[in-house]
Amino acid sequence: MSYDPIDIALILGKIGLVFFVILTLAAYLVFAERKVLAWIQDRKGPNRVGPFGLLQPLADLVKLLTKEDFRPVGADKWLFYLAPAMAAIPAIMIFSVIPFGAPLTLFSHTIPLQVADLNVGLLLFLALSSIAVYGVALGGWASNSKYALLGSIRGLAQLISYELSMGLSLVPVVMLARSFRLSDIVAAQSGCWFIVYQPLAFLIFLISIAAECKRIPFDLPEAEGELVAGFHTEYSGMRFGLFFVGEYINIIVLGGLAATFFLGGWHGPLLPPVVWFSGKVLAFAFLFIWVRGTLPRLRYDQLMHFGWKVLTPLALVNILATGWFLVLKG
Amino acid sequence: MPKLIIDDITVEVAEGTTVLEAAHAVDIPVPHFCWHPALGKAGACRVCAVKLLDGPVKGIQMSCMLPAQDGMIVSTTDPEAVAMRRQVIEWLMINHPHDCPVCDEGGECQLQDLTVAGGHSIRRYSGKKRTHVNQDLGPYIEHEMNRCIQCYRCVRFYQEFAGGTDLGVMGSAGRVYFGRFNHGQLQSLFSGNLVDICPTGVFTDKTARFRARYWDYEMAPSVCPGCSLGCNITPLARCRELLKIVARRNDTVNGWFICDRGRFAHSEVNDPQRPRRVLVDGVETGFDEALKALLLRIGEVEEAYGTGSIAIVGSPRLALEAALLLPLLAESAAAGALCYFIDEHEAAVTQAAVTVLETSQSASMSDVGQADCIVILESDLREVGPMMLLAVRQAWKHGAPVFLVGKAAPLEQTACVSVEAITLGFIEEVPFGIFEKPVIICGTKRSPVSDIEYLARAEAKLAFIFNGPDSCGAGLLALEHEGIAFRSAVAAGKIKGVISIEADIPEELLAGIPFVAALDWCSTPAVQSAQIVLPTTAWVEMDGTFINNEGRAQRFRKVMDPGLPVKGFDPACHPPHIHRSVPPGGEARPAWQLVAEIISGLSGEEIRTPFSGKWERLRSLDAESPGTLIHEL
Amino acid sequence: MQILKDIYALLIGMWTTWKHIFRRPVTIQYPEEKRQPYPRYRARIVLTRDPEGGERCVACQLCSAACPVDCITMQPAEGEGGRRYAAWFRINFSRCIFCGLCAEACPTLAIQMTPDYELCTRDIMDLLYEKEDLLINGCGKDPVYNFYHHAGIAVTQPRGSGGEELSPVDVRGLMP
């Protein structure tokens, strides 16, 4: 199998573009979160750095970079340094399989707006999101701190539990699209979005990704009230920043996936496909922020109860119902 | 023995006890102004009202005036009695001025406490307040008659208890006036007790006028260093300045009162000239350097003039802790003389007296107060121990005759407490045989040693009056360790170096001595001429022990930290804005610690506590206790 | 059904926060915009003077006793005519919690709270306010009260001529 140098250049270009856009977006998502939360709480939010506070993410970055890099006594050095990267990198890698726009045709070259159009894209996503669990687990374990350890144990159990319902909620999508390839799934929704056929699966997926992002109301691994800062208690400076930015990359990526699986990906009338896709992703991000500003944190037993006794059985029933429907339909 | 019930508690008290005292015996508080444990009752203030529910007397009664009788059922909480007391307080406040913020008694005022306790806060009486013109009562006592509540405590103390004649009560009805006939200083030696005894702010301490409030004081149980009687006191300090001294109760020693000399003697501690810096040849250094230099000089002196050329000099004002270490210091420095006294006569008489005290019974001041015959031998108690006069007056009031023996016992001393004494030429003329509890009070300043030796055979309790607060301890140690008087040591001619530990060596004795080191907190001639000066803490700045004239060891506690008073920084302005953990002059250490360090420098022996051997029991001596007689050690 | 009720409750919550997004913030842009505090706002402490211009403070030490954080220190002294005053008076504003107990305790209305809340400095030592920093030329909130007119001692007027007082008793008089 040989590659055209132009193809390689294009792929590298797309990777660069994705990296740039996602990191910038993640940084501004932090800013947006602070702003929206402030509005919800009748405050003004950050407005001192630059016009309307727009340079705030830059200031935050400078602050994080210049802070002391601190390692607790007795911490496992390599794992401690590795964990933040393990949390952030898989999140951004998932984006490689997401089609973020209709294929472009330039000079007879068809360029799919997707870094890699794998035929097992969905499985890759599941695999990578499982790897992200390690960031949390190792970060907490390597810190040599009881709060961090408790946070990481909670995180481990929570992520594994909700990964199950997340995976099961995607099975009907695959059954409808008859492919694991994400571009095929998007193509299958050119007529009607899957959310119409699968509202229950969408709901389960939405709840599950909220849990996967460790966002309120599922932020038990962090749980400031009881665990200081959970699994990243002992981190400072840019290592803490990686955990932090990883969370926001996760929001973008999982929002993108939700759009791809249930809201027709880049499909939409009138506006260009990339705009539709970005709009959907940002709508999900806003939803996450809004939920954070509204809901309280679950209790741990409620979280586990909900995952195992409600979401997973519902997802299974949904698969059976979908299969029955497809068989009847022929 | 009458048995009565007070607030449901059964009390059995001695015949003649009042209901108020019976209630106090079982810790039931009964408010009172005119009643005082040392002065008894007057029935003047009407604030100790209780209700008798049943028994020989019934109804509202003044508990201080009512002797306890069998079958009395007393209630202090009966609504009628409470209302009565509340109204009495309100009535007392009718004429009391509205000046608590500018009154020195505020915060330690019995009237203030009871007014608050009685719940009186808003004046209902619309009439005007009567006022008085104050008198100038001299430099020690401030007079403010508007505040008076006519409890008569002052005249009862001044005239009856202390035998003063120049303060009395004038006028009648609402115009009763307590004061002198004319302006002028109060003549009694015990006038300062008016400050303690006044339940409100009529008499306040002028020396500490407008200086601090009760809650700001640093205070601790202490012992007066003014004379050898060892009266118990509570010094009150603020911002490292000793502001005033109040009496502390000790029934075997001073009772409830102290003399003016002890009360108003705080200028020495606050003296701006006090040595506060460590000096070596006039140059300020640290303690460690000075100690090193001292050890070096001791070696040099001994090298130049031979061993035995150093004298270790203590004094009767040195606390027992340091005095106990001096023999060890003399030994490790191979000193030629260990001196606790400067004067030969003082040394001889004190040592003789201490020897006598070991075999015969010594009289405490309460023994003097209960004696049935008093002999004052060769001493003027006004000079050497004024509080003894107060005890003599109590005995005289009970009917004991007072004999003055010797040329050095003037009649004026008893006249100043209104005691009529009989002057005799010789002690042999006193008819000891007809008395049961005679006491001989003997000064040591002018008595010849032969007198003291005669007293050992007398059939009476003995009360010697010494020179300093720890004369007794110094005498005992001088006896035990063959100490000699410093004057005779210098006369022998061998002394070429002196280590003076809080000793008052006269200038002429230091004239021919090439090396002087002084450990002191007073600016003495020795400090002035010393090559090495190590500042020690004053008695209020450390824990210590004095043995009084009776042989009673009493502990005094640290009241304040050593160091230049805040007032001394810049008297015209506020204290500076500087962070400091130790104030200037705050490095001063107790003399015994310095002596212990010199000993360890000389001989390598580490001393953790000065009390060893037979003195060991004094380690746990409680400052709040009546003290321990050293003959019982 | 319970679950429907719960979902309804969730949606109510979401709706409430949604409405608040569009509300005007209550925060103000502090150094540029300033809020006018009420006259009884408790901030910087001052020492006032009586209507005759004398210092009201008599250094009675009730404020320092009332202070729960021990930020007030002073040294009383005797001035002319037996007037009690503060030789120095220090408030450590780095400790002060502006609880107002000192002003409540003051029997002469000398110590009062003002609405001036802007006390920040770069050097903490600048927050040690001495008497010269605290004393103002004015009566503060009470324009008439003068403690010495009512105290019953002679400082601003001869004995017995203050308010609510009779003239001094003649102790040598024989009239009943």
Side-chain angles (χ1 to χ4, degrees):
Chain A
M1 200 172 171
S2 66
Y3 285 103
D4 195 335
I6 297 174
D7 281 342
I8 293 173
L10 276 173
I11 285 173
L12 286 177
K14 279 188 285 189
I15 290 173
L17 185 76
V18 164
F19 255 95
F20 176 75
V21 170
I22 292 216
L23 286 178
T24 316
L25 206 59
Y28 272 90
L29 210 52
V30 177
F31 175 70
E33 169 144 41
R34 289 174 64 181
K35 268 289 192 199
V36 171
L37 283 180
W39 291 335
I40 286 176
Q41 294 157 6
D42 291 349
R43 293 185 287 114
K44 291 195 167 186
N47 62 354
R48 286 285 175 194
V49 190
F52 308 106
L54 278 173
L55 296 181
Q56 186 69 41
L58 206 66
D60 288 346
L61 181 75
V62 171
K63 185 195 78 170
L64 286 172
L65 283 175
T66 51
K67 274 200 152 185
E68 186 191 356
D69 187 20
F70 178 86
R71 184 166 58 90
V73 175
D76 187 316
K77 191 175 166 191
W78 290 110
L79 289 183
F80 186 78
Y81 288 162
L82 197 63
M86 299 262 296
I89 292 173
I92 206 162
M93 278 169 70
I94 294 171
F95 207 89
S96 62
V97 293
I98 299 176
F100 49 88
L104 285 180
T105 309
L106 281 176
F107 313 114
S108 74
H109 245 299
T110 308
I111 309 163
L113 284 186
Q114 190 180 11
V115 176
D117 190 14
L118 292 183
N119 55 4
V120 289
L122 193 142
L123 295 180
L124 183 86
F125 150 59
L126 289 176
L128 284 174
S129 75
S130 296
I131 286 177
V133 178
Y134 282 95
V136 176
L138 294 180
W141 182 80
S143 294
N144 190 31
S145 151
K146 51 180 171 288
Y147 297 117
L149 185 64
L150 278 172
S152 73
I153 290 172
R154 281 184 185 188
L156 213 57
Q158 173 183 329
L159 295 187
I160 289 172
S161 305
Y162 279 76
E163 220 159 62
L164 194 69
S165 50
M166 183 171 73
L168 289 176
S169 71
L170 291 179
V171 172
V173 172
V174 177
M175 286 159 81
L176 288 174
R178 291 171 195 275
S179 169
F180 283 116
R181 191 189 289 265
L182 264 58
S183 53
D184 290 350
I185 293 174
V186 172
Q189 297 178 72
S190 55
C192 185
W193 296 353
F194 282 168
I195 188 172
V196 178
Y197 303 125
Q198 291 293 341
L200 187 61
F202 172 70
L203 214 59
I204 294 168
F205 185 74
L206 193 66
I207 293 170
S208 302
I209 58 173
E212 281 289 293
C213 300
K214 308 180 282 291
R215 297 278 302 178
I216 284 172
F218 303 105
D219 67 336
L220 285 123
E222 281 179 43
E224 302 87 350
E226 59 233 58
L227 293 184
V228 187
F231 62 96
H232 59 64
T233 303
E234 305 294 343
Y235 283 90
S236 67
M238 208 49 224
R239 290 183 207 288
F240 162 76
L242 270 181
F243 271 125
F244 199 63
V245 107
E247 187 183 322
Y248 288 90
I249 293 173
N250 242 327
I251 291 174
I252 297 165
V253 167
L254 292 172
L257 283 169
T260 307
F261 291 141
F262 293 100
L263 296 182
W266 41 264
H267 283 297
L270 299 172
L271 295 167
V274 177
V275 174
W276 267 109
F277 182 79
S278 327
K280 286 169 188 171
V281 169
L282 290 179
F284 274 109
F286 174 76
L287 181 68
F288 279 135
I289 294 167
W290 183 19
V291 166
R292 178 179 171 185
T294 310
L295 298 182
R297 184 182 305 135
L298 286 179
R299 213 169 57 209
Y300 197 70
D301 62 319
Q302 291 169 335
L303 174 97
M304 279 302 167
H305 174 95
F306 188 63
W308 286 100
K309 294 191 187 165
V310 179
L311 285 188
T312 309
L314 266 183
L316 284 170
V317 168
N318 191 33
I319 292 169
L320 283 178
T322 310
W324 188 53
F325 171 78
L326 287 176
V327 168
L328 280 187
K329 208 178 143 203
Chain B
M1 294 274 273
K3 201 171 184 177
L4 65 164
I5 296 170
I6 307 174
D7 288 351
D8 302 330
I9 299 172
T10 311
V11 199
E12 199 171 351
V13 290
E15 200 75 49
T17 313
T18 63
V19 172
L20 183 135
E21 286 159 342
H24 283 185
V26 284
D27 287 341
I28 297 171
V30 178
H32 55 85
F33 288 122
C34 67
W35 180 85
H36 186 278
L39 305 177
K41 56 200 175 183
C45 70
R46 318 304 284 175
V47 87
C48 63
V50 293
K51 189 168 182 187
L52 281 90
L53 304 173
D54 206 357
V57 215
K58 280 187 194 166
I60 295 279
Q61 293 287 336
M62 295 309 122
S63 60
C64 74
M65 299 300 284
L66 187 67
Q69 291 168 47
D70 239 342
M72 280 180 165
I73 297 177
V74 183
S75 170
T76 64
T77 54
D78 187 89
E80 206 180 325
V82 172
M84 164 90 182
R85 294 197 298 258
R86 194 171 52 229
Q87 281 152 19
V88 167
I89 295 276
E90 191 171 353
W91 163 66
L92 288 174
M93 291 302 291
I94 278 181
N95 284 325
H96 193 83
H98 179 69
D99 66 347
C100 298
V102 293
C103 173
D104 265 333
E105 193 84 1
E108 46 191 312
C109 176
Q110 218 169 325
L111 180 63
Q112 203 175 41
D113 290 350
L114 290 188
T115 307
V116 172
H120 172 58
S121 56
I122 292 176
R123 184 178 170 84
R124 293 190 292 170
Y125 177 65
S126 56
K128 293 192 165 187
K129 295 179 178 180
R130 68 107 176 82
T131 57
H132 282 295
V133 174
N134 298 331
Q135 288 179 336
D136 180 7
L137 298 180
Y140 298 122
I141 311 267
E142 179 76 26
H143 193 216
E144 177 52 68
M145 258 311 288
N146 284 1
R147 297 177 185 142
C148 183
I149 57 166
Q150 294 88 34
C151 71
Y152 287 75
R153 268 191 189 185
C154 50
V155 285
R156 281 152 64 214
F157 169 77
Y158 201 86
Q159 297 184 348
E160 291 167 29
F161 199 91
T165 50
D166 60 327
L167 182 123
V169 54
M170 290 168 261
S172 64
R175 303 173 306 171
V176 169
Y177 189 87
F178 298 88
R180 305 183 80 233
F181 197 66
N182 280 314
H183 290 279
Q185 186 168 352
L186 290 168
Q187 296 301 309
S188 173
L189 298 173
F190 310 99
S191 63
N193 291 305
L194 295 177
V195 174
D196 287 1
I197 216 161
C198 181
T200 174
V202 178
F203 300 101
T204 48
D205 192 331
K206 208 179 228 176
T207 59
R209 183 159 161 81
F210 297 167
R211 295 308 307 279
R213 285 268 178 241
Y214 191 73
W215 53 78
D216 285 331
Y217 290 136
E218 294 173 83
M219 51 176 116
S222 190
V223 175
C224 179
C227 69
S228 63
L229 297 180
C231 296
N232 287 209
I233 54 168
T234 306
L236 307 174
R238 181 176 181 238
C239 296
R240 297 188 295 277
E241 187 180 0
L242 181 57
L243 292 178
K244 58 179 177 182
I245 293 170
V246 297
R248 183 164 62 93
R249 182 185 180 183
N250 184 338
D251 287 336
T252 45
V253 184
N254 55 316
W256 286 82
F257 306 108
I258 56 171
C259 67
D260 286 4
R261 214 173 68 186
R263 182 183 297 268
F264 299 114
H266 35 74
S267 56
E268 208 164 28
V269 173
N270 298 333
D271 185 4
Q273 303 305 317
R274 249 182 79 175
R276 293 192 191 272
R277 295 175 305 156
V278 184
L279 297 177
V280 173
D281 297 325
V283 182
E284 190 174 350
T285 51
F287 264 102
D288 295 339
E289 291 79 17
L291 282 170
K292 246 179 245 164
L294 178 59
L295 299 181
L296 212 67
R297 300 282 172 94
I298 291 173
E300 282 171 12
V301 168
E302 285 181 343
E303 209 170 287
Y305 304 101
T307 49
S309 50
I310 298 272
I312 307 293
V313 191
S315 80
R317 72 176 163 95
L318 182 61
L320 182 67
E321 280 81 355
L324 283 173
L325 292 181
L326 294 192
L328 206 56
L329 176 62
E331 192 187 310
S332 40
L338 168 65
C339 315
Y340 282 100
F341 301 97
I342 307 298
D343 204 61
E344 290 101 339
H345 177 252
E346 188 189 346
V349 175
T350 309
Q351 291 181 38
V354 169
T355 324
V356 170
L357 278 184
E358 269 176 358
T359 51
S360 42
Q361 265 198 308
S362 60
S364 66
M365 276 200 269
S366 82
D367 291 336
V368 174
Q370 286 155 18
D372 58 357
C373 167
I374 306 274
V375 178
I376 301 174
L377 181 62
E378 293 287 5
S379 59
D380 185 351
L381 293 179
R382 288 175 299 177
E383 273 175 42
V384 291
M387 275 307 287
M388 198 54 108
L389 275 178
L390 208 56
V392 168
R393 177 171 165 84
Q394 305 320 308
W396 180 80
K397 265 168 49 188
H398 300 141
V402 178
F403 300 101
L404 296 175
V405 180
K407 283 195 282 296
L411 207 54
E412 290 83 12
Q413 58 175 321
T414 47
C416 83
V417 287
S418 305
V419 167
E420 288 162 20
I422 302 152
T423 312
L424 297 174
F426 302 98
I427 191 159
E428 289 83 352
E429 293 170 30
V430 180
F432 282 114
I434 62 169
F435 297 111
E436 278 171 21
K437 299 183 287 184
V439 171
I440 301 172
I441 300 165
C442 176
T444 52
K445 218 171 194 170
R446 298 193 188 84
S447 309
V449 178
S450 57
D451 264 14
I452 309 283
E453 279 155 2
Y454 168 80
L455 288 180
R457 301 189 297 275
E459 298 278 309
K461 279 195 174 183
L462 297 176
F464 290 107
I465 311 258
F466 298 117
N467 195 18
D470 197 44
S471 279
C472 196
L476 278 170
L477 289 165
L479 264 184
E480 195 180 331
H481 297 282
E482 290 166 3
I484 57 168
F486 184 62
R487 196 180 292 278
S488 38
V490 172
K494 202 164 178 262
I495 299 305
K496 295 294 174 200
V498 170
I499 302 175
S500 156
I501 298 114
E502 300 188 2
D504 301 299
I505 306 173
E507 233 163 313
E508 75 265 13
L509 289 184
L510 291 170
I513 293 168
F515 171 67
V516 178
L519 285 67
D520 213 327
W521 60 273
C522 289
S523 190
T524 57
V527 170
Q528 304 300 331
S529 58
Q531 283 92 333
I532 296 178
V533 178
L534 295 165
T536 60
T537 50
W539 53 285
V540 277
E541 295 159 352
M542 62 173 188
D543 289 353
T545 312
F546 285 143
I547 301 178
N548 78 349
N549 67 320
E550 189 199 351
R552 185 179 295 277
Q554 300 189 97
R555 176 69 32 94
F556 55 90
R557 289 268 170 233
K558 178 176 172 173
V559 175
M560 60 180 191
D561 285 326
L564 191 66
V566 168
K567 200 185 176 193
F569 283 115
D570 183 1
C573 192
H574 56 76
H577 293 185
I578 310 170
H579 282 301
R580 246 202 276 249
S581 49
V582 179
E587 306 90 5
R589 298 181 204 173
W592 78 265
Q593 285 178 12
L594 288 173
V595 172
E597 278 188 53
I598 300 171
I599 293 172
S600 80
L602 286 167
S603 65
E605 190 181 343
E606 292 289 337
I607 294 161
R608 301 204 181 282
T609 163
F611 296 113
S612 57
K614 72 164 180 170
W615 303 97
E616 209 167 291
R617 254 188 59 196
L618 291 183
R619 264 187 222 176
S620 53
L621 184 58
D622 183 5
E624 311 261 15
S625 75
T628 305
L629 283 172
I630 44 153
H631 306 303
E632 291 164 6
L633 283 182
Chain C
M1 280 246 313
Q2 189 60 38
I3 186 144
L4 291 181
K5 269 189 190 165
D6 291 348
I7 291 170
Y8 177 70
L10 281 181
L11 294 179
I12 286 283
M14 299 292 277
W15 173 238
T16 307
T17 46
W18 176 260
K19 279 190 299 187
H20 274 264
I21 291 178
F22 306 102
R23 284 243 181 115
R24 230 173 70 109
V26 293
T27 322
I28 58 161
Q29 199 68 21
Y30 166 59
E32 294 89 7
E33 302 169 41
K34 280 175 187 167
R35 203 161 263 174
Q36 178 60 44
Y38 291 99
R40 286 177 58 187
Y41 191 88
R42 298 194 309 265
R44 187 167 62 89
I45 296 167
V46 293
L47 290 174
T48 58
R49 290 176 185 273
D50 58 38
E52 278 99 274
E55 284 168 24
R56 266 185 179 152
C57 177
V58 297
C60 68
Q61 296 183 308
L62 283 180
C63 49
S64 61
C67 182
V69 291
D70 279 353
C71 73
I72 308 181
T73 334
M74 76 195 75
Q75 179 57 58
E78 189 173 1
E80 257 173 65
R83 193 184 180 108
R84 187 177 165 128
Y85 75 105
W88 48 267
F89 189 107
R90 177 182 287 180
I91 297 182
N92 183 348
F93 277 112
S94 63
R95 270 199 207 171
C96 182
I97 55 169
F98 303 98
C99 63
L101 289 180
C102 51
E104 238 171 88
C106 185
T108 66
L109 303 181
I111 196 164
Q112 296 186 7
M113 315 283 287
T114 68
D116 176 15
Y117 55 84
E118 291 177 305
L119 282 167
C120 297
T121 57
R122 292 268 168 196
D123 183 4
I124 199 162
M125 281 301 196
D126 294 344
L127 288 173
L128 282 184
Y129 275 47
E130 297 294 345
K131 191 169 142 187
E132 51 269 30
D133 310 316
L134 296 164
L135 194 63
I136 60 164
N137 282 323
C139 298
K141 293 169 189 167
D142 190 312
V144 289
Y145 187 69
N146 186 338
F147 168 76
Y148 282 112
H149 289 178
H150 308 275
I153 52 165
V155 168
T156 53
Q157 73 280 338
R159 282 184 85 80
S161 60
E164 311 98 36
E165 278 179 20
L166 296 168
S167 38
V169 168
D170 175 13
V171 285
R172 296 197 174 99
L174 291 173
M175 294 300 283

